[in-house]
Amino acid sequence: MLVIGDLKCLHCGYSSGRWVGPKGTPLTAAGLRPLPPGRDPAEHVRCGRCQGPVYLDDAMPVASSYRLRRIQRMREQLAAFDAPRPKRGRAA
């Protein structure tokens, strides 16, 4: 599950931006939106003002319409695959 939220500093309360990524993963620069140029995506995010540790505030799940449409198409395909097929007569 993807989550989105604001990055807030534990020391000064400064908001460092928005972060999007899988639930439970470390807060790395790869999840920053937009990704600042020249940053290593694997680098852990620190406060932009005091370099203190940050946490994800107001985190909520991401519901992408593209993802929801894809799930719906897959469910339809599975239902069609599981549906009983008409019996065909054998040609002689």
Side-chain angles (χ1 to χ4, degrees), residues 54-83:
V54 295
Y55 68 96
L56 200 58
D57 190 35
D58 296 330
M60 61 183 145
V62 174
S64 159
S65 62
Y66 168 77
R67 184 177 175 148
L68 294 174
R69 283 192 312 266
R70 187 171 164 211
I71 290 170
Q72 182 63 34
R73 277 195 314 258
M74 290 176 69
R75 286 181 179 160
E76 290 170 0
Q77 290 173 351
L78 285 172
F81 183 76
D82 290 340

Side-chain angles (χ1 to χ4, degrees), residues 3 10 12-13 15 19 45 53-55 57-58 67 69 83 87 89 91:
V3 294
L10 285 168
C12 67
S15 180
W19 187 86
V45 180
V54 295
Y55 68 96
D57 190 35
D58 296 330
R67 184 177 175 148
R69 283 192 312 266
K87 295 184 181 182

